[in-house]
Amino acid sequence: MAKILHVTECHYGGVSRAIRKLVDLTSQHQHYLLVDGQDDDFSDGVLEARRFQSSGTLGRTLEVRKAVAEFRPDYVHLHSSWAGAYGRLTRLRAKIIYQPHCYKFDDATLEPAKKWLFRFAEKLLSFRSHATVVLSPHERALTLQLNSNAECFYVPNAPSCDLLDDLGRRLEPDSGGKRVLMVGRICKQKDPTFFAEIARLAASSSLLRDWEFRWIGDGEPELRDSLSAEGVHIAGWKESDELIAELDAGDYYVHTAAYEGFPISILDAAARGLPIVAREIDALTGSGAYQVTTPQEVVEALERSQQDSEFHSMLVERSTHLLDAMNETSQEKAWYSLYSGHAEVVA
């Protein structure tokens, strides 16, 4: 049995669901949590959850050191870039596992100076990591660019919700108005402007003009406004049962993020049998998900799906096939190997 301290400043959306799943699948270990955010319901499987009391980098770095001294973990598991900084700016008496959940410098829209700065910071901090958990071949390649000697461990993401009992009911498109979903934080990385443009174009389509476009999540006010301006309904954050209900009430899932580690929300949509149309990004290369490059191509795919039952069935089948490799069984094996010290390094 190992003692693991999880540290995150990104306790919402996919990162939150990923940590919950990890704790659930490795209940033989003792888990502690140091977290920022407003979610008060994180008691299941965690012996103690504690919030950051300071807001600055130095203060939070010292809080991580204090938590390590108190809990004496075998591993400190750092989730996302800010936690990765707090836990690697100083030496800790524990093995450091860093899981970026996507690298900020992978954002193609960043100014060159900022992109260089984020990459340089990650490069320097990479030498403090005992292991880096990667979610895709693309993320592994980025990690090895930072540090060619980095120990990369591939851990497939898994859906945070159960599989729909009757996936077959999704194979045939229904007539009438539909609901198109996107799940995630309303932030630049998830590119809500891409989703807003899809809604705008759909309003001019004879097939899609009565459809509802719905964003499940919340975030930056200015980007919220860009969604609302095109008639997108913002549903806010949902707990697991509410998220399942939202997915089951939807007809399509469209993923618009500009870059990712590997999105749990796509796997959740697949688990509930939704046909998926995803924006083409490096993280999804080789996944089998149906991908397009522009909002217009998303609209064309949705229109085609309503007119061509074979195309619609193909979208559903591709989405469910994502779960062949990315599922609880595969993830549980990977976590067991990592925390027991027998994980296979991905070269």
Side-chain angles (χ1 to χ4, degrees):
M1 180 180 67
K3 295 170 68 175
I4 303 143
L5 172 63
H6 301 275
V7 183
T8 181
E9 197 187 57
C10 196
H11 193 225
Y12 42 70
V15 173
S16 172
R17 300 202 304 279
I19 296 174
R20 289 172 187 267
K21 177 65 69 175
L22 188 167
V23 170
D24 181 58
L25 293 178
T26 59
S27 58
Q28 71 273 29
H29 301 304
Q30 293 181 350
H31 295 275
Y32 302 86
L33 178 67
L34 182 58
V35 63
D36 184 28
Q38 300 303 314
D39 188 351
D40 291 320
D41 183 20
F42 204 114
S43 56
D44 291 349
V46 176
L47 291 179
E48 184 168 345
R50 184 172 299 173
R51 300 197 180 285
F52 282 111
Q53 298 301 306
S54 56
S55 57
T57 300
L58 176 59
R60 293 195 168 189
T61 298
L62 294 175
E63 284 189 63
V64 173
R65 282 182 63 88
K66 182 179 178 180
V68 170
E70 180 179 348
F71 298 132
R72 297 183 180 277
D74 301 292
Y75 300 96
V76 178
H77 195 140
L78 307 170
H79 299 267
S80 292
S81 55
W82 282 112
Y86 305 147
R88 295 184 295 172
L89 282 172
T90 183
R91 293 192 181 278
L92 301 174
R93 292 180 177 272
K95 292 183 177 180
I96 304 299
I97 297 172
Y98 177 48
Q99 186 171 353
H101 293 275
C102 80
Y103 285 109
K104 179 63 178 175
F105 65 78
D106 200 28
D107 181 358
T109 67
L110 272 181
E111 298 173 10
K114 288 184 177 180
K115 194 179 184 76
W116 180 89
L117 183 61
F118 281 118
R119 182 186 288 272
F120 183 68
E122 289 282 6
K123 185 178 183 66
L124 288 180
L125 292 171
S126 69
F127 296 94
R128 289 281 178 85
S129 303
H130 173 264
T132 301
V133 171
V134 297
L135 303 176
S136 68
H138 173 64
E139 201 165 51
R140 179 187 65 201
L142 293 178
T143 301
L144 293 176
Q145 287 173 19
L146 297 171
N147 180 354
S148 60
N149 294 317
E151 291 195 348
C152 296
F153 297 96
Y154 172 65
V155 177
N157 255 339
S160 65
C161 57
D162 295 333
L163 268 67
L164 183 69
D165 291 334
D166 181 18
L167 292 174
R169 73 178 176 86
R170 296 283 197 180
L171 291 174
E172 290 291 333
D174 299 324
S175 58
K178 296 290 183 295
R179 179 178 287 181
V180 180
L181 306 176
M182 167 67 190
V183 179
R185 177 165 169 77
I186 300 175
C187 63
K188 191 175 178 182
Q189 183 222 331
K190 301 295 183 181
D191 203 353
T193 57
F194 195 99
F195 194 77
E197 178 65 5
I198 295 167
R200 188 190 71 79
L201 292 171
S204 301
S205 166
S206 60
L207 286 173
L208 312 183
R209 63 168 59 122
D210 296 327
W211 288 25
E212 177 187 357
F213 288 79
R214 190 173 179 88
W215 189 291
I216 303 168
D218 208 339
E220 300 171 22
E222 189 173 324
L223 293 175
R224 279 177 54 101
D225 291 344
S226 71
L227 289 168
S228 298
E230 299 300 341
V232 176
H233 179 84
I234 299 170
W237 294 114
K238 302 296 181 182
E239 290 299 321
S240 58
D241 289 345
E242 295 173 319
L243 177 60
I244 290 172
E246 288 277 1
L247 292 171
D248 287 350
D251 299 283
Y252 291 90
Y253 182 77
V254 172
H255 197 76
T256 63
Y259 63 100
E260 290 276 13
F262 194 97
I264 289 180
S265 53
I266 281 186
L267 300 179
D268 284 341
R272 305 312 289 179
L274 283 168
I276 295 170
V277 180
R279 182 180 183 174
E280 185 176 339
I281 54 176
D282 290 333
L284 298 179
T285 300
S287 68
Y290 185 82
Q291 298 174 70
V292 296
T293 58
T294 66
Q296 180 61 47
E297 289 176 339
V298 173
V299 170
E300 290 170 358
L302 296 175
E303 290 176 329
R304 182 179 174 188
S305 180
Q306 283 300 288
Q307 297 173 306
D308 184 343
S309 60
E310 289 187 4
F311 180 76
H312 182 88
S313 295
M314 180 273 291
L315 290 181
V316 175
E317 289 167 0
R318 278 201 182 196
S319 73
T320 55
H321 285 163
L322 287 169
L323 305 179
D324 291 345
M326 287 172 278
N327 53 61
E328 281 192 2
T329 300
S330 299
Q331 191 179 82
E332 184 176 13
K333 288 179 179 177
W335 288 134
Y336 175 83
S337 296
L338 181 60
Y339 288 143
S340 64
H342 302 298
E344 181 180 353
V345 177
V346 182

